[in-house]
Amino acid sequence: MTKEPSRLSRALSDYPLIPLTLLLVVLVVALELLRPGIVNERWIANTIKFAIPLAMLAACQTLTMLTGGIDLSAGVAATVVAFVMATQVPVLGVPLAIAVSLIPAIAMGLLNGFGIAICRVHPLIMTLGTGLVATGCLQVYQRFVIASGSVVPESLAWLGTGRTLGLPNSLALFLPFAALILLAQRQTGFGRLLYAIGSNEGAARLSGVRTWQVYFTLYALSGVIAGITGLLYVGLIKAPSLSLVNPMLLPSVAAAVVGGTSIFGGRGGYGGTILGALILTVLGTLLTLVQIPEGARGVFFGLIILAVTAIYMRLTNQT
Amino acid sequence: MTQTLAKHGWTLGLAALFAALLILTKMIQPDFGLSGLDSLGRAALPFAFATAAMTVVVLAGGIDLSVASMMAVASVTGARLMDGATETEAVWIVGFVLVVGLCMGAINGALIVFTRVPDIVVTLSMLFVWEGTALLILQGPEGGCAVWLTNLILGGLTLPLLPEGLTNWLPKSVVLVIVVLGVIWVPIRRSKLGLSIYAVGSDPLAAYRSGVSLGQTRIIAYALAGLLAALGGLSLTMSTGIGEPIPGPYLMASVAAVVLGGVALTGGKGGLMGPILAVFVLRLVRMDLTLLSVDPNVTTIIEGTIMVVVVMFGGLLALRGRIR
């Protein structure tokens, strides 16, 4: 433990995005070698299209993980928003339906904030519980609206699946979103408070931070981001269901972790998460291309996530 | 006396809650008897083992997100091997599945100790790995189960020397849970190993300085969790007669029961009794709501609300204790 960090590892911990970018390039090259000609404009657009919802949902995990928390209700929140929006469109019209659908996500976030900040419940448990309650509520809600049917608005389908000049339209949503998060995490007081709380909550509290306000804002924000992800994702899939975004929850945690955000807080950032989401998406394609059974794909997926995280932590000296 | 009460207050409260719920069930459904208890016991069986697995790692200061996937692996391994096997061969197969569970858990633990990656991340990755393994063993729900295994949890208990009426009201499944967990956990709890698990969970540094081997204790705790998860998987096969490669909702449910059972997620505090009682309380609540012909979806809301309210209440109580 007293060993001086080598120059390489110091450089890597100063610029943690370099090894991730290298890994992404290696994966893409492997894909090209495996199936020459697959890496073209169309493939890139498709990869980005599927990586964007994952990266957005992973933003919830990144921001909460910076404070040492996690948001396991994000997947459910996204599903709820997507479902409520699709079923309310025939009744309320598109703009109002979108506005109404975000309300449950904010409510879930505030409930999370209340449990975590005021009652001091572990975020893992609190968000898990909120997710359970919301799933139940969604199932009951579904029986009331089953007659009205559901519509995915044209505008969301355009955003989710359309392409302009070869690039997916969802970039129009994602680029400002990512810029905002990247700017917020380093340049704004709120972003710095997240790092401060994650590094040492007691110290942050003693230096006058009202941690409960930060938690409320953070989890409500996480709910809103999850909600927007749900809207985008339903535009991509075009079929709202009761478990639409839920399967993306654990990959979103994985994307943040692979991207170098520490699950104990205070370390990492959204830049890594975006690369993490891209890496996971390319990895998914790679494993689909190789003709192996579905089970083996899961095994490799898990092992690669673990190996990447372990190597990455070794390289950047975060043990 | 008061000390024991204070120490086991949470567990006693849960037991009282369970008793109250049983009385309530009897009031809702006057002919609630063996068959009701029997179906309760069988429904609770996989949840009880999953919760026990989660409890052991949480006590050691960790968490295991791969519990449900390991159960799936155990279930399909058992079902695939027992398909067409004779009744005596099934005994060996059960032993084999338990060893497989032990190995899966030990692999989880070893990866956590040697890679030094946080436990949540390792077990999250292993969740995919075990899930994939289960799918490699069986593509869909199929396979078989030995008859004696199925009979092990069917109906009421009959002991050779006692009159049938004395023990018949007690479902075999409940007895199975109590006996198996008792045989596994009580000796461990009383030994040096049990003490080490609690020590590592409450303060790793203090444990290390008192000469407890951190890595070894962690690996053993995870291996135990794997063994218990394998038992949960076997009980799934026992109650359905087939193997199911897709993991059930046991991860979330086991975390909920652990928290309800008064085990601190930070590790080192609590016991196995509380979480198991919590499993039965949660299953009974679900059953009562079904008996009251409440929409099963509303039942999910109520279950989730109970969990959220209890953990918030528990958090506030802990906070008050700290301020005093």
Side-chain angles (χ1 to χ4, degrees), chain A residues 85-128:
Chain A
M85 186 277 302
T87 47
Q88 287 300 324
V89 165
V91 189
L92 297 174
V94 175
L96 204 55
I98 289 180
V100 167
S101 69
L102 284 172
I103 294 173
I106 298 173
M108 283 171 73
L110 289 177
L111 181 63
N112 283 335
F114 178 77
I116 292 159
I118 310 290
C119 305
R120 312 296 301 159
V121 179
H122 194 290
L124 189 82
I125 301 300
M126 191 60 214
T127 51
L128 205 63

Side-chain angles (χ1 to χ4, degrees), chain A residues 230-251:
Chain A
L231 292 177
L232 180 68
Y233 198 62
V234 79
L236 177 61
I237 300 294
K238 289 188 199 148
S241 72
L242 289 180
S243 59
L244 179 73
V245 196
N246 297 9
M248 222 161 67
L249 175 68
L250 292 175

Side-chain angles (χ1 to χ4, degrees), chain A residues 83-84 87-88 134-149 242, chain B residues 293-301:
Chain A
F83 194 80
V84 170
T87 47
Q88 287 300 324
T135 305
C137 292
L138 185 64
Q139 282 164 352
V140 173
Y141 168 80
Q142 179 221 16
R143 306 205 325 170
F144 288 104
V145 294
I146 210 153
S148 68
L242 289 180
Chain B
S293 60
V294 175
D295 179 348
N297 298 321
V298 178
T299 313
T300 316
I301 304 182

Side-chain angles (χ1 to χ4, degrees), chain A residues 151-178:
Chain A
V151 175
V152 176
E154 283 295 311
S155 49
L156 286 179
W158 176 84
L159 198 62
T161 53
R163 284 196 297 162
T164 313
L165 300 173
L167 288 172
N169 292 337
S170 42
L171 274 177
L173 174 71
F174 183 70
L175 287 182
F177 170 83

Side-chain angles (χ1 to χ4, degrees), chain A residues 65-85:
Chain A
M65 271 159 69
L66 285 180
T67 66
I70 195 166
D71 190 352
L72 293 185
S73 64
V76 180
T79 309
V80 168
V81 169
F83 194 80
V84 170
M85 186 277 302

Side-chain angles (χ1 to χ4, degrees), chain B residues 77-90 93 142-147 241-242:
Chain B
T77 312
R80 169 137 193 200
L81 290 176
M82 273 191 272
D83 200 8
T86 62
E87 298 290 296
T88 36
E89 278 168 3
I93 293 168
E142 53 184 311
C145 183
V147 180
I242 50 169

Side-chain angles (χ1 to χ4, degrees), chain B residues 156-238:
Chain B
L157 184 70
T158 41
L159 288 176
L161 289 175
L162 294 168
E164 198 170 282
L166 201 65
T167 54
N168 203 22
W169 56 274
L170 205 59
K172 279 189 206 163
S173 45
V174 176
V175 177
L176 183 76
V177 169
I178 296 171
V179 169
V180 169
L181 290 183
V183 165
I184 296 177
W185 183 240
V186 172
I188 290 177
R189 178 76 185 85
R190 308 239 152 189
S191 69
K192 197 176 145 214
L193 173 63
L195 207 57
S196 314
I197 288 180
Y198 275 85
V200 169
S202 54
D203 190 338
L205 189 63
Y208 176 73
R209 296 218 165 125
S210 333
V212 174
S213 163
L214 292 188
Q216 201 187 327
T217 311
R218 282 205 181 114
I219 294 178
I220 293 177
Y222 277 94
L224 263 177
L227 175 70
L228 290 166
L231 280 163
L234 276 179
S235 67
L236 271 178
T237 304
M238 280 187 217

